[in-house]
Amino acid sequence: MLAADLRETLVMTVDVMRDARDPWWVISSAAVALHGVAPIEVGDVDVLMSVGDARRAMDGLGVVPTKDRASSLFRSTLFGRWETPPLVVEIMAGFHVTTSAGWTEVLPRTRVSVPLDRRVVYVPDRAELAAILSMFGRPKDFERVRLLTS
C-alpha cells in the first residue's frame, strides 16, 4: 500500500508524462515502493526521461532547469525540481553516476508497467533497479537493495 502523498505525487507525475515521446522511468525509493516493498521511506520521486521530454515537461510545468546540479556522485544533462506535488519530483535527463569506470549513464533497459489509479507508472524491473541502486553506492541505496531483494 502506497502512502497517500506518494500516490498523489505519482498520479500527478504520470499525468504530466502522458505526452512523453520516449520511455521514462521512476527510479530509487519510489520505484522500490512501486515494486511492493514496505515499509520504505520515500522522500521524493526521481524520474528519468529523455532530454527532449524533460525539456517539454519542465516547460509545461514552469520548472526552471537547475544550473550546475552536478555533484561528486551524480550529474544530469538536464535537471529540475517540480515542487507542486506533495513530494518533490526530480526530473532528470542524461543522468550519470560516477563509478570506478568513470561517469556512467543510468538508462534502464527494462520497463515494468505498474498500474496506479487507472494510470501506468514505469519502473525498471527488480534486478535492474537493484543494480542501479548498487551503482549509487550509498548506505541508503544498499538498504533499498536489501529490501528489494529479500
Side-chain angles (χ1 to χ4, degrees):
M1 184 75 175
L2 297 176
D5 59 349
L6 176 57
R7 178 176 292 278
E8 184 179 346
T9 300
L10 288 168
V11 164
M12 292 172 73
T13 300
V14 171
D15 288 348
V16 168
M17 301 304 150
R18 186 173 288 131
D19 296 327
R21 298 176 187 164
D22 301 310
W24 58 271
W25 299 262
V26 169
I27 62 165
S28 295
S29 60
V32 174
L34 284 163
H35 274 293
V37 173
I40 180 90
E41 185 176 326
V42 179
D44 60 16
V45 172
D46 297 319
V47 179
L48 285 183
M49 49 193 329
S50 69
V51 171
D53 282 341
R55 188 166 283 121
R56 283 185 293 278
M58 287 187 218
D59 286 350
L61 295 167
V63 171
V64 178
T66 303
K67 298 285 188 233
D68 194 32
R69 175 61 179 147
S71 70
S72 61
L73 187 58
F74 303 111
R75 71 178 185 197
S76 296
T77 302
L78 195 60
F79 178 89
R81 291 173 52 93
W82 182 32
E83 298 184 355
T84 302
L87 298 177
V88 171
V89 177
E90 294 191 342
I91 299 169
M92 301 173 281
F95 177 60
H96 291 74
V97 61
T98 190
T99 66
S100 59
W103 287 106
T104 303
E105 185 171 13
V106 177
L107 188 60
R109 289 181 298 281
T110 60
R111 195 165 186 242
V112 176
S113 304
V114 181
L116 178 72
D117 294 354
R118 297 184 309 279
R119 295 163 176 83
V120 177
V121 184
Y122 298 100
V123 296
D125 72 18
R126 277 180 177 260
E128 186 171 31
L129 181 57
I132 290 169
L133 293 167
S134 293
M135 198 169 34
F136 294 169
R138 301 171 300 183
K140 68 180 182 181
D141 297 309
F142 289 129
E143 176 61 12
R144 291 168 183 161
V145 170
R146 186 189 69 75
L147 293 167
L148 192 60
T149 58
S150 62

